Amino acid sequence: KNIQPTVFVIFGGTGDLNARKLAPALYHLFMDGWLPEQFAIIGTGRTVLTDEAFRDRLLEGINQFSRSGKANADTWKAFSGHVVYQAADVQDAAAYEPFARRIQAYAKEWGTQPNVIYYLAVSPDFFPVIAQNISKSKLSADPERTRIVIEKPFGHDLESAKELNQLLGHIFTEQQIYRIDHYLGKETVQNIMAFRFANALFEPLWNRNYIDHVQISVTEQLGVGDRGGYYNGAGALRDMIQNHLLQLLCLVAMEPPVNFNADEIRNRKVDVLRAMRRFTPETVRESAVRGQYGAGWMEGKKVPGYREEVESKPPSNTETFAAVKFFVDNWRWQNVPFYLRTGKRMHRSASSITVQFKDVPHCVFPTETAESWQQNRLIISIQPEMSIRLQVQAKRPGLDMMLNTVDMVFDYKGTYSNEAPEAYETLLLDTMLGDQTLFMRGDQVEAAWDLIMPILNSWEGRASQSFPNYSADSWGPEVAEALIARDGYHWFTLP
Ligand code: BG6
């Protein structure tokens, strides 16, 4: 692919995201030959560091978090030659002058103006001031060559998301703005579209006539850890449902695009968000439940409850678990429930989408299990298992005519010998290529906020009396089971 000479300017260069995700991803892109010959990474942060000290930090991150383990000495040497550090107080417009100087020096050395990607891996409080200072210092004067990448969270609610969109819109064109939702870069998530739209088999069934309901579940064993400062002001609904889980829902529910153009795909996805049934204070109560973990034992170790972890006074009302029943009010999905759930400190880490098909109209066979006999189910496992399985009924071998459920499985491990790239590799490559398909457009972010605002308002206006209501290492609060059991279902988990 034709990738232009590129300079990455990473704000938050000394931070966690760079060490864990960005540096390992850039290193892998380099190793696999995806970076142009002429590229540079300028890390920036408040701390004063030499280039050498900064490189050492990145190497530590790569050694610890890269998918291929410890860096190869020669590859690292070649890669790190492209990495420099520039300390800067990002709130001070004058501190941006050295970036301009460095970029011009690269332009001169390379004999061409490079593309420049400003990556904001910083706390959201700094998004506005960095964007403004980039503009003041004329660093974004060329809209064809400059791009800005904004990490999540994009806004704290609908209003702040709109404000941020407006502010960015005064400085950059929409084609320059790359809003990250790293779930969209995951291999298995990208495959949802391939699976749906490159196979004639499923699309005819993909509607209310054949699909009974859909479940999207993202559970994590990890607790809030040292991210309490951010998380306690966010909660599971903002942190996961507003972005990652609703994006998965869009991929399942969207209409077929006419082509693979970024805006065509994003139009089809935003159509889904706009079609989603709005909540009222009454329907919030029926459709959305929340939880907060208490202490418990995980893998033989005692783990503290959320309130102990964040040490908040008064006790925190932040949810670490959320489950919501959504509807998409259009022809395809009328009255098909979409159940979404996510939580921390759950029994297992697993992300999956389960599409439950309707039963046959009349069944003439005896079956192995009398109760809750689900005939056809499609399970898209996003992580850690990467697979798609179709559950069908088959005759069990034997002299009697007895059916049981069997799995037709496509799993990545058994099918492909190459390792899947990390989401950030895909996303960073796409920012270089100028492909916005896997990034959030401004209207998508706002539509997702708009949808969940009634739930946020209701929860924030009414402290939960029952927190903590699930213990670490469980499957979440009882209210979540009740939410789905009322409709006659259970949350599905892979054995
Ligand atoms: C982030 C959330 O966006 O996604 C975290 O802020 C969460 O709270 C993480 O743990 C999950 O991402 P992944 O890729 O580990 O599933």
Side-chain angles (χ1 to χ4, degrees):
K1 295 206 174 160
N2 178 21
I3 302 176
Q4 301 296 308
T6 301
V7 178
F8 286 95
V9 181
I10 301 184
F11 292 89
T14 52
D16 215 38
L17 185 74
N18 195 20
R20 280 171 185 268
K21 298 287 183 189
L22 306 182
L26 287 164
Y27 173 77
H28 267 278
L29 287 172
F30 176 78
M31 195 158 73
D32 297 341
W34 287 102
L35 294 185
E37 253 169 58
Q38 294 162 326
F39 84 94
I41 298 169
I42 308 177
T44 179
R46 216 188 315 230
T47 323
V48 177
L49 288 177
T50 61
D51 290 346
E52 247 351 280
F54 179 62
R55 291 174 189 152
D56 287 347
R57 282 189 184 212
L58 296 195
L59 179 60
E60 227 174 273
I62 292 167
N63 284 341
Q64 202 177 339
F65 301 111
S66 156
R67 65 181 160 89
S68 56
K70 257 178 110 93
N72 167 286
D74 292 337
T75 315
W76 167 252
K77 194 157 173 242
F79 173 78
S80 63
H82 297 261
V83 178
V84 296
Y85 184 75
Q86 173 70 54
D89 169 5
V90 295
Q91 312 213 53
D92 173 12
Y96 289 63
E97 204 277 322
F99 298 128
R101 223 176 331 112
R102 283 179 185 266
I103 293 164
Q104 278 330 305
Y106 288 123
K108 203 157 159 216
E109 183 188 329
W110 298 342
T112 177
Q113 278 297 328
N115 286 350
V116 185
I117 297 170
Y118 301 102
Y119 199 115
L120 273 53
V122 292
S123 147
D125 300 342
F126 294 112
F127 294 164
V129 68
I130 296 178
Q132 279 161 335
N133 283 339
I134 286 176
S135 157
K136 271 191 207 152
S137 325
K138 311 246 173 337
L139 289 173
S140 56
D142 183 350
E144 297 297 319
R145 297 206 180 281
T146 52
R147 291 166 199 157
I148 186 165
V149 185
I150 312 270
E151 264 296 331
K152 65 166 285 219
F154 195 94
H156 183 70
D157 51 20
L158 177 60
E159 205 181 321
S160 52
K162 277 187 177 165
E163 272 169 26
L164 183 56
N165 271 334
Q166 262 165 21
L167 182 138
L168 292 172
H170 286 307
I171 301 172
F172 302 97
T173 63
E174 184 61 34
Q175 285 65 41
Q176 288 177 280
I177 308 173
Y178 289 71
R179 297 176 192 78
I180 293 262
D181 180 325
H182 79 283
Y183 264 60
L184 299 180
K186 290 182 190 273
E187 271 298 321
T188 36
V189 172
Q190 291 183 69
N191 203 20
I192 299 171
M193 267 204 285
F195 187 79
R196 278 194 60 194
F197 303 130
N199 295 295
L201 206 59
F202 296 102
E203 204 47 32
L205 307 179
W206 211 258
N207 58 54
R208 64 187 302 270
N209 298 323
Y210 298 98
I211 292 180
D212 184 75
H213 74 275
V214 177
Q215 297 184 16
I216 300 178
S217 170
V218 176
T219 58
E220 296 181 284
Q221 286 183 314
L222 279 180
V224 69
D226 52 16
R227 292 172 73 230
Y230 148 75
Y231 194 88
N232 206 41
L237 195 64
R238 283 193 175 91
D239 185 50
M240 298 292 287
I241 297 214
Q242 187 271 346
N243 39 78
H244 307 323
L245 277 87
L246 280 176
Q247 283 305 302
L248 296 178
L249 185 152
C250 287
L251 289 167
V252 173
M254 69 192 272
E255 293 300 312
V258 295
N259 57 38
F260 212 64
N261 174 292
D263 269 328
E264 168 66 12
I265 287 171
R266 296 190 296 175
N267 286 340
R268 296 294 76 81
K269 285 169 68 187
V270 83
D271 286 347
V272 175
L273 292 171
R274 292 214 185 98
M276 288 178 75
R277 193 174 298 170
R278 290 331 198 209
F279 294 101
T280 63
E282 291 71 48
T283 58
V284 166
R285 230 158 291 183
E286 297 154 15
S287 315
V289 298
R290 53 183 161 164
Q292 188 190 67
Y293 62 82
W297 290 83
M298 293 197 82
E299 289 164 354
K301 271 205 217 114
K302 180 131 178 66
V303 294
Y306 179 75
R307 286 179 174 175
E308 290 94 75
E309 254 175 325
V310 296
E311 294 178 351
S312 69
K313 285 194 188 84
S316 171
N317 187 44
T318 300
E319 81 284 357
T320 59
F321 176 100
V324 187
K325 172 180 168 184
F326 290 101
F327 285 100
V328 182
D329 280 337
N330 60 15
W331 275 49
R332 187 187 284 266
W333 296 114
Q334 198 52 233
N335 287 336
V336 177
F338 285 76
Y339 301 94
L340 273 52
R341 76 165 171 183
T342 185
K344 295 208 183 279
R345 279 279 186 249
M346 307 268 295
H347 179 59
R348 197 186 305 155
S349 291
S351 303
S352 65
I353 299 171
T354 304
V355 178
Q356 176 68 58
F357 291 91
K358 291 190 169 167
D359 289 346
V360 292
H362 173 61
C363 185
V364 295
F365 304 104
T367 71
E368 209 178 36
T369 45
E371 27 125 20
S372 92
W373 181 41
Q374 311 288 349
Q375 292 153 354
N376 298 134
R377 225 184 230 149
L378 183 75
I379 302 139
I380 303 174
S381 269
I382 293 166
Q383 63 187 32
E385 179 176 313
M386 298 169 71
S387 67
I388 297 181
R389 57 181 72 213
L390 182 63
Q391 295 193 328
V392 295
Q393 299 303 309
K395 181 189 175 302
R396 197 178 61 185
L399 298 178
D400 51 356
M401 184 67 188
M402 185 66 89
L403 303 196
N404 67 350
T405 305
V406 295
D407 285 7
M408 293 165 73
V409 184
F410 149 53
D411 86 305
Y412 282 63
K413 251 203 232 127
T415 311
Y416 302 113
S417 56
N418 60 324
E419 211 188 315
E422 283 263 354
Y424 276 96
E425 293 170 49
T426 303
L427 297 175
L428 283 164
L429 178 61
D430 285 354
T431 58
M432 287 192 285
L433 292 168
D435 183 348
Q436 293 188 301
T437 313
L438 303 180
F439 294 84
M440 301 290 291
R441 209 169 52 190
D443 56 342
Q444 288 180 294
V445 181
E446 290 182 18
W449 277 120
D450 186 51
L451 177 67
I452 66 156
M453 282 318 293
I455 311 178
L456 278 180
N457 290 336
S458 157
W459 287 358
E460 278 169 9
R462 167 169 68 87
S464 168
Q465 302 305 317
S466 59
F467 282 1
N469 60 355
Y470 70 100
S471 57
D473 200 26
S474 71
W475 280 113
E478 269 170 34
V479 280
E481 205 50 52
L483 173 81
I484 194 164
R486 255 200 320 265
D487 297 342
Y489 311 124
H490 292 290
W491 291 104
F492 178 76
T493 44
L494 275 178

